[in-house]
Amino acid sequence: MTDSDDQPLVDVIIAVHNPARPIARAVGSVLRHTRSPVRVTVVCHNTDPAGIAVNLGEFGTDPRLRLLEHTDGIASPSGPFNAGLDAATGRFTALMGSDDELAPGAVDSWVRVQKRDDASMVIPRLAHASGQGVATPPVRPFRTRRLDPVRDRLAYRSAPLGLVSRSRLGDIRLATGSGTGEDNAFSLRVWFSGEPISFDAAGPAYLIHDDAADRVTFSARSISRELHFVQALLGADSVAQLARRGRAAVVVKLIRIHLFGAVYNRRGATGWDVKDLSDLDTIARRIIALAPDAVRVLSRADRDLLDEILLGAAASVETLNKLAQARRRFARPAGVLPRSLRHALVREAPLRILAASWLVRRVSSFRPPASSPTSSPTAR
């Protein structure tokens, strides 16, 4: 199991809060198919480790597995993940969701890429368990090493999944206090750290499952609670001190993914109230204030939705719902063209984002042959 001095090369950290989660699937995908010296740490969050151990089955006695108990009474994965990071001793760490899995050889592939590029972080390709690729981050065509946080649009990858060097980035932890979205702070610090980052774009995928009914991320909550992490990010020195182009990249991502996402996720819902509308407006204005000119790259449909959000309590819920769906119709000119055509081909404009995302999704949907060999690499 060990790399040297009885320590693993890679500490894979899985947080689990419910014995009903398919924890054996996640753990087995690492232990069965990894040749590199690895240890899987399952952090039992606000739950009895005995219940987790029962569901681990054959993996419960594997010497490469350890269970840690973390009790904080908080419905957030940040606490247990941070506890796992604190307990890590390997040269690299990798975070993993308890209901997800790794394609065979994923960790070994990350280690090979790390050695080749001397990377401080290796980003895995993401795919749904069905095989459909996930188009983030929408990097420059065929770019896989020495990624640039702005030119390769790394902000669109919110989750800090993959291989992380403890010696170079080991002091970074997930934010706490929001309950969701807390991994964004971790990721942004990594992307803008100046450290070399690689993308294992064609390697075995990190597979996302959606068969868990109790994901914290999907729980219904007020706008202020759902976007609490956004407000925390806006108040962080690490974001406020970014250069202008970095702030602009973050602003566009926060608007497209999180602000608009909060509206889209409520389509057809009756839970809107005046406070939600006012909070949405307030948060939108705080985001824009970080880089006011950044909104010029948004599509016409995006700007229409943003304008309605900025009406605050006077906004129409029905109109918000319609506009949130209309902005996703990319076959229409309004869905891909900014209000000023001068910005139609800039890096963050819809046309270039869609093209880059298409390429990444094509690669991320690739399934390597099941018989592909794995090696036993040693990273620096």
Side-chain angles (χ1 to χ4, degrees):
M1 180 196 81
T2 57
D3 172 44
S4 62
D5 300 325
D6 295 326
Q7 301 300 331
L9 177 64
V10 182
D11 267 302
V12 177
I13 300 162
I14 304 175
V16 59
H17 70 277
N18 185 340
R21 285 288 181 98
I23 187 64
R25 180 176 68 190
V27 171
S29 72
V30 180
L31 296 183
R32 276 200 183 112
H33 305 294
T34 303
R35 294 187 177 183
S36 301
V38 66
R39 173 172 58 199
V40 176
T41 298
V42 175
V43 185
C44 306
H45 183 213
N46 298 326
T47 189
D48 187 350
I52 303 298
V54 169
N55 284 342
L56 283 168
E58 63 181 291
F59 305 110
T61 57
D62 193 302
R64 297 171 295 171
L65 173 80
R66 68 173 172 179
L67 298 182
L68 293 182
E69 185 173 6
H70 181 77
T71 302
D72 59 11
I74 302 172
S76 165
S78 292
F81 275 132
N82 287 341
L85 290 171
D86 291 343
T89 58
R91 278 191 272 170
F92 304 98
T93 58
L95 303 183
M96 185 176 176
S98 61
D99 43 338
D100 298 330
E101 66 178 317
L102 301 182
V107 174
D108 291 332
S109 183
W110 304 344
V111 171
R112 283 194 296 273
V113 171
Q114 191 284 325
K115 181 181 180 181
R116 181 195 70 196
D117 300 343
D118 191 29
S120 295
M121 180 167 187
V122 178
I123 304 172
R125 71 181 181 96
L126 301 182
H128 293 286
S130 63
Q132 181 182 11
V134 176
T136 60
V139 299
R140 287 170 288 175
F142 314 111
R143 187 76 177 186
T144 60
R145 64 182 73 185
R146 301 285 169 174
L147 301 182
D148 182 271
V150 175
R151 298 176 71 191
D152 292 303
R153 309 176 185 91
L154 295 185
Y156 284 92
R157 176 66 70 89
S158 297
L161 304 172
L163 200 68
V164 179
S165 168
R166 286 184 61 245
S167 64
R168 300 175 184 176
L169 299 168
D171 62 326
I172 301 177
R173 295 292 182 269
L174 279 76
T176 59
S178 296
T180 187
E182 294 166 326
D183 47 4
N184 282 268
F186 185 114
S187 298
L188 287 177
R189 283 191 61 191
V190 172
W191 306 151
F192 289 95
S193 66
E195 293 287 341
I197 299 169
S198 293
F199 184 19
D200 190 13
Y206 180 109
L207 298 173
I208 302 168
H209 285 268
D210 59 4
D211 52 2
D214 62 339
R215 277 186 188 262
V216 172
T217 305
F218 296 158
S219 300
R221 59 190 70 211
S222 67
I223 286 291
S224 63
R225 193 60 189 163
E226 180 173 348
L227 297 180
H228 182 275
F229 78 93
V230 172
Q231 301 188 75
L233 270 180
L234 296 174
D237 290 341
S238 57
V239 173
Q241 294 172 2
L242 291 176
R244 181 187 59 81
R245 69 187 195 122
R247 295 197 309 274
V250 171
V251 163
V252 174
K253 183 262 187 175
L254 290 177
I255 290 174
R256 281 179 173 149
I257 305 302
H258 303 295
L259 189 73
F260 291 166
V263 179
Y264 183 77
N265 290 340
R266 283 167 169 74
R267 62 194 183 280
T270 58
W272 286 96
D273 58 25
V274 171
K275 186 176 187 307
D276 278 331
L277 294 172
S278 296
D279 288 342
L280 194 66
D281 171 33
T282 299
I283 295 168
R285 292 180 187 279
R286 286 197 64 196
I287 295 172
I288 294 169
L290 188 65
D293 291 342
V295 300
R296 295 183 299 185
V297 305
L298 297 176
S299 71
R300 286 156 44 194
D302 283 350
R303 293 293 296 277
D304 290 344
L305 176 55
L306 185 59
D307 287 346
E308 188 69 20
I309 288 172
L310 294 176
L311 294 178
S316 162
V317 173
E318 181 181 2
T319 301
L320 287 173
N321 288 336
K322 288 180 179 178
L323 294 175
Q325 296 181 69
R327 67 167 295 270
R328 299 166 68 90
R329 297 172 190 148
F330 302 116
R332 298 164 56 244
V336 294
L337 296 177
R339 287 178 174 173
S340 171
L341 293 181
R342 289 184 304 162
H343 307 297
L345 295 178
V346 300
R347 181 180 298 109
E348 291 288 345
L351 285 172
R352 287 183 61 180
I353 289 280
L354 288 170
S357 297
W358 181 84
L359 285 173
V360 171
R361 183 176 286 110
R362 292 274 296 189
V363 172
S364 296
S365 297
F366 167 71
R367 288 177 177 267
S371 59
S372 294
T374 58
S375 63
S376 182
T378 301
R380 284 181 285 186

